[in-house]
Structure formats: structure tokens, C-alpha cells
Amino acid sequence: MNAVYAPAEDDVVARELHGEFIIIPISSGVGDLEDEIFSLNETGKAVWDKLDGKKKLEEVISELTVEFEGSAEEIRNDVTGLVEELLKRKIIVEN
Amino acid sequence: MGKKSSYVVTKNLNQASLWRNTKPLLGRLDIELTERCNNNCIHCCINLAEHDKTARDKELSTKELKNILVEAADLGCMMVRFTGGEPLLRDDFEELYIFTRKLGMKVILFTNGRLITLRLVELFAKMPPGEKIEITVYGMTKGSYDSAVRRQGAYEEAWQGINLLLANNIPFVVKGALLPSNKTELKEFEDFASTVTWMDRGPSYSMFFDLRGRRDSEKRNAQIKALRLSPEEGLSILTRDKKEYMKDKKQFCAKFTRPAGNNLFSCGAGKGSACVDAYGKLQLCMGLRHPDTVFDLRKQSIKTIMTERFADIRKMQAKNPRYMERCAKCFLKGLCEQCPGKSWTEHGTLDTPVQYFCDITHAQAEYLGLLGKGEKAWTVENWQERIRKFVEEV
């Protein structure tokens, strides 16, 4: 939980498009398939905004626990779940 | 929080639902980076000499192009087509390409392949365009190629470019231009095309060549006309895979055949897409350069032009009595290349019937059984019944 994560800036582009937050892989080997982009829901976007390459994951979880309803355990599971998904797809990197 | 199901939803970039119930003002932008070309094809509707200084001096600067790209992305654009002329002639191509990709937009590149270098291929490998590169092949032998493009050494350079893409596994497709110099090489070209793994179907061909889009040379237009295939010759090329042709046409006719009336714009030009010419004029499409229909991006934004100017132009009605008697009543309008752009290049107006395209369409319709020999489509009253029968027949 001391790890620090950040968007893979050279490999993905994050855009807000007509109210939808999307992540577009632009480098080879990032994401799954050529044509795929990723859409983050409101919760996902809130997590994404905090993965700034400075905050430790524990701090991210703490902040979200204050901002969102839900038990600390639920929020921890959500955040780590999302981070795992993004890491697997190389959309974020560990700093 | 706590609803685990969907932090991340994977979508296809081309999925319309990406924009929920609204489509973006601009989904795709075509950009002609230059009208200059390192080839000198006799059939080309746009090319200027590679070192034409006057043209180069008028072209959009890197900064101007970047501003246009930023506005396009802000308007929801997800795809940019770089074309020309030969777009790779621009010294800033790599910079513009990277800039576009970093805005999250895919790139379609139309090129003759001659300037594809290892450096460029390495860039495409690291940062893929997201769409297949499209290369026009002008011949399978040095003699036919160089004669079509009227440049010594072009053949070697073009095939070197193609081989670099192949060797580095960069997705591309090939297209052909049917010219007297390469007409006999059709099979050889198609055999090669069938080995290109990214080709979903046989190559497309330019053969009903457009006249000069700038209406800049009667002499060149006469040369282009002389190279055009006759409707019958064209039909024999289009129908070489009869099964595929009939299947395509049935699908097309089921959706798009009906008289368009006096509305000049029955196509989607300027609606969700647009074209920037090399000098910063925004056009509804690549073919329409009538001065009353193009607007200067150095003075107005894409948004203003698309929402105000293009919207007005798209409401334009035909006034030419010949158009109203024929094209407006023709149920084959969707099948025909007649449009304001073709009318402009051929006649300098927006609403003059272009006989050549009319003849091509009628030749196809006779082949498909939609018209009898010598019958004119605009005189047919039971067209709906004919379309239904054609679409339904096995």
C-alpha cells in the first residue's frame, strides 16, 4: 500500500468526451486490442484523478473513504481492484 | 463505491454509443497536408509539383495545424485522415502524427509509400496509427509504375516503403489506379494484394477519375478524361467477382436507393466530418472546393463553420432544370457519384448533371436488372417494386 502509481503518460491519453471519461491506448502493447478504449465510470474517474504519481495508494484510499460513502474495506477493495486492472493493461505504471 | 461491476468498461473506438445518444459535431477530419506530390501522375485531380514554392509558402504552418487538431479533438473528433498530395512530403509529418495520436485521435494515412523510411516505420511500430495505412500502387513493374507516376526511380522507392511496412508488421492495405500502363497487371496486383494479411477484401481501384478539383487546367482535364475507363470497361472491373458485387449492391440498394429530390446534399458531407485543405480552408468534403462552400480556418473556428455555414449550405436546393428533371427524380441517386463536388469539378456549378457518372450508374443498373436497355432511371415510376424484387431475389 506504499506504492505510488501514475498514468502511463507516453502510452495512454485520457479524454473527457461528451460527459464520458475515456482512456485511449496509443502505444504498442498497451490495452488489449487495437480498437479498444476504456471508459471509466464516476468511481473509476475519482480513483484515476488521485493516481498522480505522488500519493501512496494508502493515501488515495484514505481520501476516497472521506469523499465516498461505503465501508473502508469496500473502498479498499474497489481501489485495489481498479489499480490491478489498470496495471494489467499497462495504463498506469508504478512510480 | 462498493459496486464492483464496472470500474472500467472496454469499448470499441468506433462504437457509436461512445457518444451516448449524441454524435459529436466532428467525428472525423480529413486534412490535406499539401497538394504537392513527389509523383506526377497524369490522372491526378490535385497534385502540384513537389518543389512548388508558391504552394508550399501558402500551406498551413505546423502551429496552425496543431491548433486545428486541438479544436477537432475538443469537438469530439476521434479520427484524422492525413492525405494530400503526398502527406509525407511535409517535414513536420512526424511531429503532426505524434501530436494527433497524443490527442487520442487515430490516424489514417494515405500515401504512395515512397517516403516511408525505417525511422517512420519504427514510429508506427511504437505508436500505431490505429487504422491501416492506405497505399496506392501504380504498377507491379518498374516500367508500368514509373510510366504512371512519371518519375524515374519511384518504383524502387514505393516498393521499398511497402516492404518496410511488411517487414515490421505495420498494418496497411493497397489500392490501385487503373491506367493504360498497368491494366494488364491486374492479376499480378491482386495476387500480391491477397498476400497482404490486413486486406479484408480485394483492393479498391480508382478508375472513374475525378477532374482537377481546383479547375486549374483544361489541358490536364482533357488528359484525365482520356484515361477514364468507359462505363462498360468499368462495369467489367466492378463485376469481376460477381457474387461479391451482387451482395454489396443488394445491401446498398436496400438502404440508399430513392430519389433525393431537389436537396443538393443527400450525402453526409459536412455533417460529422469535414476536410481541411492545405491552405486552411474547411470544406464539406474532399471533393467540394466551390468557393461559395469553403471557409477560412484562419478566420473562423471549425465549430462556427460547421454549425453555421455548413448547416446553411446543406439546405441548398438545386435550381438547374436539367438536374431537377433528371437527378432529383432518379431513384439511383444513391448509386451514382453525382454530387455537388463532381458537378463543381466537371462544370463549375453545384447542380449540373455529370453525364459520365450517369452513364456508369445506368450501366450498373442494367447489369443488376433494375433498368431495361436504354431506360432512364428518372422515368421509372415503380422503382420501389424493382428494388424490392432485386433485394429479395436469391
Side-chain angles (χ1 to χ4, degrees):
Chain A
M1 290 298 157
N2 282 327
V4 173
Y5 298 99
E9 274 184 12
D10 289 341
D11 300 324
V12 297
V13 176
R15 277 175 68 177
E16 196 146 349
L17 200 61
H18 292 250
E20 184 153 1
F21 187 75
I22 57 171
I23 298 168
I24 306 162
I26 58 169
S27 292
S28 248
V30 178
D32 300 326
L33 292 166
E34 274 275 302
D35 261 349
E36 281 184 345
I37 60 170
F38 305 98
S39 172
L40 293 189
N41 64 8
E42 201 183 331
T43 311
K45 167 78 164 50
V47 179
W48 175 269
D49 286 342
K50 292 186 187 298
L51 300 176
D52 57 4
K54 292 175 194 156
K55 288 190 189 83
K56 290 177 185 167
L57 196 57
E58 195 59 50
E59 293 174 80
V60 171
I61 293 166
S62 296
E63 286 182 16
L64 289 166
T65 307
V66 174
E67 291 167 23
F68 283 84
E69 285 180 15
S71 73
E73 192 188 341
E74 267 179 344
I75 290 174
R76 177 178 299 276
N77 287 341
D78 282 353
V79 173
T80 52
L82 174 59
V83 165
E84 275 170 27
E85 278 194 60
L86 295 175
L87 270 176
K88 187 178 75 188
R89 291 175 161 126
K90 300 181 188 167
I91 290 171
I92 57 170
V93 289
E94 190 172 346
N95 261 16
Chain B
M1 289 267 169
K3 290 176 186 169
K4 270 189 89 159
S5 57
S6 55
Y7 319 112
V8 187
V9 178
T10 304
K11 291 187 173 186
N12 185 288
L13 185 48
N14 300 320
Q15 223 173 320
S17 62
L18 182 61
W19 293 280
R20 297 184 180 164
N21 297 322
T22 57
K23 285 195 172 177
L25 181 66
L26 182 69
R28 193 181 92 178
L29 184 63
D30 295 330
I31 303 183
E32 293 171 344
L33 289 179
T34 178
E35 293 188 1
R36 294 174 294 117
C37 188
N38 51 350
N39 284 341
N40 184 26
C41 301
I42 198 165
H43 68 279
C44 186
C45 63
I46 189 167
N47 63 340
L48 297 176
E50 178 178 357
H51 300 293
D52 186 326
K53 189 173 178 316
T54 312
R56 192 172 47 197
D57 289 348
K58 283 194 301 176
E59 286 170 7
L60 289 167
S61 67
T62 311
K63 186 165 178 269
E64 286 172 321
L65 279 160
K66 284 183 176 178
N67 288 341
I68 289 168
L69 288 162
V70 167
E71 193 195 352
D74 286 347
L75 293 175
C77 183
M78 295 299 282
M79 197 177 296
V80 171
R81 174 162 59 178
F82 286 130
T83 181
E86 172 50 53
L88 298 183
L89 271 182
R90 293 256 327 196
D91 294 338
D92 56 0
F93 176 80
E94 280 186 31
E95 186 179 348
L96 293 168
Y97 173 82
I98 293 167
F99 189 80
T100 308
R101 292 298 284 130
K102 286 196 168 179
L103 287 169
M105 297 186 284
K106 287 182 174 191
V107 170
I108 307 176
L109 172 62
F110 277 17
T111 174
N112 59 37
R114 285 180 58 193
L115 295 171
I116 290 175
T117 59
L118 182 59
R119 180 188 157 94
L120 197 56
V121 163
E122 283 171 351
L123 172 62
F124 293 150
K126 186 171 178 290
M127 185 183 276
E131 286 288 326
K132 295 167 193 168
I133 293 167
E134 298 195 19
I135 299 189
T136 305
V137 176
Y138 297 97
M140 296 301 290
T141 62
K142 181 172 171 52
S144 64
Y145 194 107
D146 289 358
S147 148
V149 306
R150 299 189 295 177
R151 285 285 178 266
Q152 287 295 314
Y155 171 80
E156 287 85 355
E157 287 177 4
W159 282 95
Q160 185 183 42
I162 290 171
N163 287 328
L164 273 172
L165 294 176
L166 281 171
N168 290 277
N169 216 26
I170 308 294
F172 72 96
V173 296
V174 287
K175 304 177 289 191
L178 282 183
L179 293 157
S181 56
N182 64 27
K183 263 187 203 171
T184 56
E185 297 172 352
L186 204 61
K187 185 177 180 309
E188 201 181 341
F189 174 56
E190 296 203 340
D191 285 347
F192 165 72
S194 70
T195 67
V196 178
T197 53
W198 303 283
M199 297 283 293
D200 299 327
R201 53 191 303 167
S204 63
Y205 294 97
S206 299
M207 53 185 156
F208 306 124
F209 301 120
D210 287 337
L211 301 186
R212 301 285 295 175
R214 299 272 173 218
R215 297 181 54 77
D216 56 358
S217 168
E218 281 185 28
K219 189 179 160 200
R220 297 256 343 227
N221 276 348
Q223 290 170 332
I224 294 171
K225 279 184 184 171
L227 291 170
R228 284 173 161 176
L229 295 191
S230 69
E232 294 71 29
E233 285 173 311
L235 185 64
S236 70
I237 300 289
L238 292 171
T239 58
R240 64 200 188 285
D241 182 345
K242 186 178 176 183
K243 201 174 155 192
E244 189 69 21
Y245 174 78
M246 295 300 275
K247 189 177 141 203
D248 275 1
K249 286 293 170 276
K250 278 176 197 278
Q251 285 173 353
F252 184 87
C253 287
K255 283 186 191 167
F256 301 112
T257 41
R258 70 184 65 87
N262 291 341
N263 291 330
L264 276 178
F265 291 89
S266 50
C267 61
K271 205 176 166 189
S273 64
C275 171
V276 184
D277 81 0
Y279 318 112
K281 299 286 194 300
L282 194 68
Q283 306 175 174
L284 285 96
C285 67
M286 283 203 277
L288 184 53
R289 300 179 200 273
H290 189 295
D292 293 348
T293 64
V294 303
F295 300 93
D296 196 345
L297 283 172
R298 284 170 167 142
K299 295 177 183 161
Q300 297 173 84
S301 66
I302 299 175
K303 188 178 179 184
T304 303
I305 295 170
M306 292 194 73
T307 51
E308 296 175 18
R309 314 281 177 254
F310 283 3
D312 286 344
I313 287 167
R314 286 189 55 82
K315 289 177 197 154
M316 286 173 81
Q317 299 275 306
K319 290 178 183 153
N320 181 334
R322 281 192 72 225
Y323 184 100
M324 292 191 280
E325 279 163 23
R326 296 168 45 157
C327 306
K329 293 177 183 167
C330 181
F331 76 100
L332 300 175
K333 180 70 171 50
L335 203 59
C336 184
E337 287 197 41
Q338 171 76 39
C339 69
K342 304 285 189 208
S343 173
W344 158 251
T345 55
E346 303 270 335
H347 299 294
T349 65
L350 295 173
D351 59 358
T352 307
V354 179
Q355 194 59 45
Y356 180 57
F357 296 117
C358 186
D359 292 343
I360 293 165
T361 306
H362 277 72
Q364 289 191 77
E366 281 183 22
Y367 181 88
L368 297 170
L370 290 168
L371 292 177
K373 184 99 184 134
E375 197 175 19
K376 298 299 176 196
W378 52 89
T379 64
V380 174
E381 287 179 7
N382 68 338
W383 61 269
Q384 283 158 306
E385 194 186 323
R386 292 191 193 192
I387 293 293
R388 186 185 50 76
K389 209 173 145 194
F390 168 62
V391 169
E392 285 173 3
E393 81 189 358
V394 182

